[in-house]
Amino acid sequence: LRYHDIGDYLDREEKLAIIANFGSIDAIPWQKLTPNESGDWINQRNPEFEGFVALGDKGETDAATIFETYSGGVKTNRDDWVYNFSRTALEANMRRMIDNYNAEVERYERVCQGQSKRPDVASVVNNDPRQIKWTRELLADAGRLRHHAYEQESVVPGIYRPFAKQWMYFNRRFNNTVYLMPSIFPTPRHPNLAISVTGAGENKEFSCLIVDSVPNLHLISAGQCFPLYTYEKAEAALSNKGDLFADPSEQADADGYVRRDAITDAALADYRDFYGDDTLTKEDLFYHVYGLLHAPDYREKFAADLRKMLPRIPCPARAADFWAFSDAGRALADLHLNYETIEPYPLQEVLTSTVEDWRVVKMRYPSRTDKTQIIVNAHLTLKGIPPEALEYVVNGKPAIEWVMERYQVTTDKDSGIHNDPNAWADEHNDPRYIVDLVGRVVRVSVETVRILNELPSVVEQLST
């Protein structure tokens, strides 16, 4: 095969213009491709990457890994129903949907009465998307005549997209796939942290983000989450281990859960042995991973590997650099988790009205070329966004642009459900929440870029 890289981020007309300028196929500077052992034709993996320790590996049970387990974020297949900035609206939407579902189960049961063979449930139930969002799993439940009840404890904070928190109905009956998330964030009373990384085979450049509440699958593209802890129901822990209460540290909590470390004992032992430091903890290692995954030269050198595989972690040769990444990881985690309370960056607020108006409909830049200011609404513009704020890119776009994109008023065309980010501000009695959030995420971005610029080199150590 012969290949020519035409360049990234081009639209159709730009690509065609480049091809036309060559004049003929013979004039194109072709690169002859030879696949490697992994079957890569282009963007070939670096064999050095395979020698690092895997974050996790579900394929080989005896593989050396840093984390015992990991999980994808929640895939709901009905985001408009199970997410909302307004807790009141979310509860009303889900109560209505569950009532409609149970009514359809009862109607299907009546249709089935006296019939030797039940009709296909999908052909009987009401398919109006304004009443209910059916999925294969929910149709199967209806076909089995299973009723469901609204569960108040299923309403939890969820991280939908980077720096965009909403209320979520976290429930395996009405979320298409919850994966292992109930063991990572079983209830809001069970604190935990998880590092969400780009899933293998995704098109977006690698990124990661730490979370402290239930993440959506697309928080980071097909995100895989590596937790600090996992939680297990006491009865399950007892059956899995034999004698649950032999170890006092594994006593069940008030909700009946046992907490376990997700970082392996073997990984901790390896790092302690390598550095000759028995004071090193699993938490230190957790933050070390978070810091190293942000290293610009690591992401650049192993970009092809990170597109095709889950991350693998090189061990810095110098103990000082282990701690540099661990300290950086803690600092980054503090920024990325506490983005709602950090001091806002001092942006200039330009009001064109005597009435203070903090509400948004859809924020935007004044133009494609001017990203130093954001028009919040017809009466308010925020000016003085520093250029380095746009350098912090997570899941394919600058963090600040996630705020601009997600904090807008929307109405889903199928369900008709209204989602207004101003409701979050109203229900938290903080009218400035969104405006201050812009300033806070600018601050997070600037500080993140500063920390990344101060990280030691990963690549230099690999060559020594």
Side-chain angles (χ1 to χ4, degrees):
L1 292 179
R2 286 175 170 80
Y3 169 79
H4 175 69
D5 185 353
I6 201 169
D8 296 326
Y9 311 113
L10 303 174
D11 59 29
R12 178 177 179 273
E13 288 70 23
E14 289 170 327
K15 292 176 181 178
L16 291 174
I18 291 172
I19 294 172
N21 287 337
F22 283 122
S24 71
I25 291 178
D26 293 334
I28 297 176
W30 295 108
Q31 173 188 352
K32 187 176 181 180
L33 297 182
T34 302
N36 61 16
E37 292 181 356
S38 299
D40 300 329
W41 290 83
I42 61 173
N43 299 322
Q44 294 187 351
R45 279 169 270 201
N46 188 324
E48 198 172 7
F49 192 77
E50 287 279 2
F52 304 151
V53 179
L55 278 189
D57 191 334
K58 294 182 179 179
E60 298 183 31
T61 56
D62 59 346
T65 63
I66 294 177
F67 290 85
E68 190 76 41
T69 190
Y70 58 95
S71 172
V74 175
K75 180 175 73 171
T76 78
N77 279 8
R78 52 171 64 84
D79 285 2
D80 49 312
W81 288 90
V82 303
Y83 285 100
N84 207 287
F85 282 107
S86 166
R87 180 170 186 149
T88 300
L90 173 67
E91 292 175 353
N93 292 336
M94 287 308 302
R95 287 182 185 277
R96 177 166 59 91
M97 179 178 173
I98 292 170
D99 286 345
N100 290 336
Y101 165 80
N102 288 327
E104 291 305 302
V105 171
E106 292 169 5
R107 189 160 71 88
Y108 179 66
E109 186 174 18
R110 291 193 298 271
V111 170
C112 293
Q113 289 176 356
Q115 298 195 34
S116 58
K117 182 179 180 181
R118 289 182 178 180
D120 177 36
V121 65
S123 66
V124 174
V125 297
N126 183 353
N127 288 296
D128 183 354
R130 291 178 176 265
Q131 302 299 317
I132 191 170
K133 171 66 181 291
W134 291 103
T135 57
R136 182 183 61 188
E137 294 78 11
L138 200 59
L139 284 169
D141 280 357
R144 299 184 186 101
L145 304 181
R146 290 180 178 173
H147 287 71
H148 294 310
Y150 175 82
E151 299 176 10
Q152 187 65 43
E153 62 271 20
S154 292
V155 178
V156 300
I159 304 293
Y160 187 64
R161 294 293 183 270
F163 306 103
K165 189 177 292 183
Q166 296 190 46
W167 292 107
M168 174 191 185
Y169 193 75
F170 180 37
N171 184 291
R172 65 174 67 250
R173 297 273 69 85
F174 292 94
N175 301 153
N176 177 260
T177 309
V178 297
Y179 300 106
L180 298 179
M181 278 299 143
S183 69
I184 297 175
F185 297 106
T187 77
R189 297 179 298 281
H190 291 84
N192 208 353
L193 302 176
I195 301 171
S196 179
V197 305
T198 305
E202 291 299 300
N203 291 326
K204 290 182 180 178
E205 292 184 358
F206 176 83
S207 63
C208 62
L209 188 65
I210 194 169
V211 297
D212 57 5
S213 54
V214 183
N216 184 273
L217 178 65
H218 299 294
L219 165 74
I220 302 292
S221 295
Q224 296 295 318
C225 300
F226 294 83
L228 183 58
Y229 307 115
T230 59
Y231 291 90
E232 190 174 21
K233 274 292 190 180
E235 55 270 23
L238 181 60
S239 62
N240 289 339
K241 199 167 183 180
D243 186 4
L244 170 67
F245 302 107
D247 183 350
S249 68
E250 292 191 346
Q251 293 283 347
D253 63 21
D255 293 295
Y257 286 93
V258 174
R259 192 182 81 177
R260 302 196 188 283
D261 293 327
I263 289 181
T264 67
D265 292 338
L268 178 64
D270 287 344
Y271 273 83
R272 283 181 169 181
D273 182 63
F274 186 81
Y275 295 115
D277 185 355
D278 288 341
T279 68
L280 194 152
T281 67
K282 290 182 178 180
E283 193 173 279
D284 295 328
L285 181 51
F286 179 83
Y287 288 116
H288 169 80
V289 167
Y290 194 55
L292 193 145
L293 289 176
H294 280 85
D297 63 339
Y298 169 81
R299 292 189 180 188
E300 181 180 354
K301 180 169 184 176
F302 301 111
D305 305 85
L306 292 168
R307 282 181 182 270
K308 298 170 182 178
M309 305 168 61
L310 288 176
R312 304 178 76 89
I313 304 298
C315 187
R318 298 183 290 266
D321 287 333
F322 171 89
W323 290 109
F325 284 116
S326 186
D327 291 343
R330 287 180 185 274
L332 290 168
D334 184 60
L335 288 168
H336 301 162
L337 292 170
N338 299 312
Y339 69 91
E340 292 178 287
T341 56
I342 192 173
E343 182 68 23
Y345 190 88
L347 300 175
Q348 181 186 359
E349 298 179 0
V350 180
L351 289 165
T352 59
S353 169
T354 56
V355 178
E356 292 184 336
D357 184 2
W358 314 115
R359 304 181 74 80
V360 304
V361 176
K362 182 177 181 178
M363 292 182 279
R364 62 182 177 85
Y365 294 123
S367 67
R368 294 181 62 182
T369 57
D370 182 3
K371 295 187 176 182
T372 64
Q373 50 187 310
I374 295 173
I375 299 173
V376 176
N377 56 42
H379 309 292
L380 174 63
T381 297
L382 300 177
K383 294 185 176 182
I385 298 172
E388 58 267 33
L390 298 174
E391 294 177 20
Y392 174 44
V393 174
V394 56
N395 199 26
K397 67 179 67 176
I400 189 62
E401 293 184 4
W402 280 113
V403 176
M404 296 171 66
E405 176 185 296
R406 302 317 311 178
Y407 284 83
Q408 62 174 293
V409 179
T410 62
T411 301
D412 183 73
K413 64 179 181 180
D414 293 327
S415 66
I417 289 176
H418 193 63
N419 196 0
D420 185 349
N422 299 291
W424 181 277
D426 293 341
E427 292 178 3
H428 285 79
N429 195 30
D430 184 4
R432 285 184 56 97
Y433 176 86
I434 299 173
V435 172
D436 285 340
L437 182 63
V438 173
R440 288 180 167 128
V441 174
V442 169
R443 171 81 71 185
V444 166
S445 301
V446 170
E447 290 299 308
T448 295
V449 170
R450 179 188 60 79
I451 292 171
L452 299 192
N453 288 337
E454 295 174 355
L455 286 174
S457 170
V458 176
V459 173
E460 283 181 7
Q461 293 201 41
L462 296 177
S463 61
T464 60

